[in-house]
Amino acid sequence: GARSAIGRARTMPAPNDDPPRFRFAMASCANWQYGYFSAYRHMAAGNFDLVFFLGDYIYESTLSAADSLKAVRPHDGPTATTLKAYRNRHALYKTDPDLQALHASTSCLATWDDHEFANDYAGEWSQTVDTDPKAFLRRRAAAYQAYYEHMPLRPRSKPNGSSMSLHSRRRFGSLASIALLDTRQYRSIQPCALPTTRKGHVALDSCTDRLDPNRTFLGAQQEAFLYEGFHRLDTAWNLIFQSQLVAQLRRRDAEGNMGVWTDCWDGY
């Protein structure tokens, strides 16, 4: 007895087509609790060829009671850890009328960062050192399943337990090749962990662990996918869409010491 609103999808130009331009928009880090995202409404009106969601489409974490006064729009429950809770969180975000308008306006491609599952996780490792690894992977399987159910993905991305293939390549005629990457699922554990946490922090230059050549951000298979594409692509532009800052970011810790942030490419 329900009927959805009418939306529009766009087909990519054929491989040999020569489109005069490629107009796209990007969105990330939309924490429902902290406000309204009118940018979605402007993007919906922008007549874009594609919209890219580059991570943190939802936030799994709910503000603590002490911080709840900061919430503009409260979440619908505690921090998500189960399949039901992740499904409800996605459904809550999808009630935003501006986000609905954006999805109805054009086609979207999506990849994740950490908050679709758990803050600052790296591969199979939680940010919290004492987390049970098996329980963590069960939680990851729930988060990945809910993501697959609610996002515009192809059947090949259907999860297999706690694993899910998300990286892909698209072609926009002869103008652009698009590599969409997964910078969370295959990465090595964060370097130079603190006593009780591996979460992102400012690591000083004395942290040599991050420079180990065996460390990886994308995983060997995804790196090979990316490099192989570079060898054979013949489009005018090669575009990489992913969730983390690539340029080095130097910043100070609480004591004023200069270092780099461990949770982005600088940590790898």
Side-chain angles (χ1 to χ4, degrees):
R3 180 176 294 179
S4 66
I6 296 174
R8 177 181 66 184
R10 291 187 172 184
T11 302
M12 289 284 206
N16 295 325
D17 285 353
D18 189 22
R21 66 180 186 176
F22 176 31
R23 299 185 71 248
F24 58 87
M26 300 177 292
S28 66
C29 302
N31 193 331
W32 173 279
Q33 301 166 107
Y34 285 126
Y36 298 87
F37 305 109
S38 58
Y40 286 154
R41 188 182 333 129
H42 294 287
M43 291 159 70
N47 196 31
F48 292 107
D49 297 305
L50 271 176
V51 171
F52 293 88
F53 291 100
L54 298 182
D56 298 344
Y57 183 93
I58 64 165
Y59 273 66
E60 90 299 353
S61 56
T62 294
L63 292 173
S64 66
D67 290 332
S68 61
L69 292 178
K70 300 177 183 177
V72 177
R73 298 186 290 181
H75 271 163
D76 56 346
T79 294
T81 59
T82 66
L83 178 57
K84 179 180 179 180
Y86 283 114
R87 283 169 168 166
N88 285 344
R89 192 58 47 84
H90 276 279
L92 174 68
Y93 279 57
K94 285 290 201 301
T95 65
D96 186 308
D98 292 333
L99 181 57
Q100 290 181 12
L102 176 55
H103 276 294
S105 70
T106 192
S107 300
C108 304
L109 291 176
T111 188
W112 51 36
D113 195 24
D114 54 341
H115 287 289
E116 285 86 354
F117 169 29
N119 182 62
D120 282 8
Y121 82 96
E124 60 191 62
W125 294 281
S126 167
Q127 68 171 355
T128 306
V129 173
D130 60 0
T131 296
D132 175 30
K134 291 182 179 179
F136 190 68
L137 286 180
R138 287 195 296 271
R139 181 184 172 190
R140 192 174 92 166
Y144 284 13
Q145 178 66 31
Y147 188 84
Y148 175 74
E149 292 173 357
H150 288 82
M151 300 301 289
L153 299 172
R154 291 183 174 182
R156 72 171 190 83
S157 291
K158 185 176 182 179
N160 180 16
S162 61
S163 299
M164 180 172 154
S165 178
L166 195 61
H167 61 278
S168 63
R169 184 177 290 113
R170 304 286 194 273
R171 183 183 178 106
F172 196 82
S174 65
L175 185 58
S177 296
I178 301 161
L180 192 68
L181 302 183
D182 173 356
T183 61
R184 280 290 166 185
Q185 184 175 189
Y186 311 111
R187 62 161 73 182
S188 302
I189 199 168
Q190 279 104 335
C192 303
L194 301 175
T196 61
T197 181
R198 306 184 185 101
K199 69 183 296 184
H201 64 281
V202 176
L204 306 184
D205 291 339
S206 57
C207 173
T208 57
D209 182 25
R210 70 186 186 90
L211 303 177
D212 183 343
N214 292 317
R215 293 176 54 73
T216 180
F217 204 57
L218 300 177
Q221 183 178 0
Q222 189 175 200
E223 284 187 16
F225 154 84
L226 184 62
Y227 298 155
E228 187 272 335
F230 287 155
H231 282 300
R232 64 180 177 84
L233 293 178
D234 58 356
T235 51
W237 294 86
N238 292 335
L239 306 177
I240 299 176
F241 290 88
Q242 52 88 47
S243 304
Q244 294 286 327
L245 183 68
V246 174
Q248 187 178 71
L249 177 65
R250 302 284 290 177
R251 55 190 294 179
R252 298 187 186 276
D253 64 13
E255 287 73 42
N257 302 305
M258 188 68 75
V260 297
W261 191 251
T262 58
D263 191 54
C264 61
W265 285 86
D266 282 345
Y268 295 80

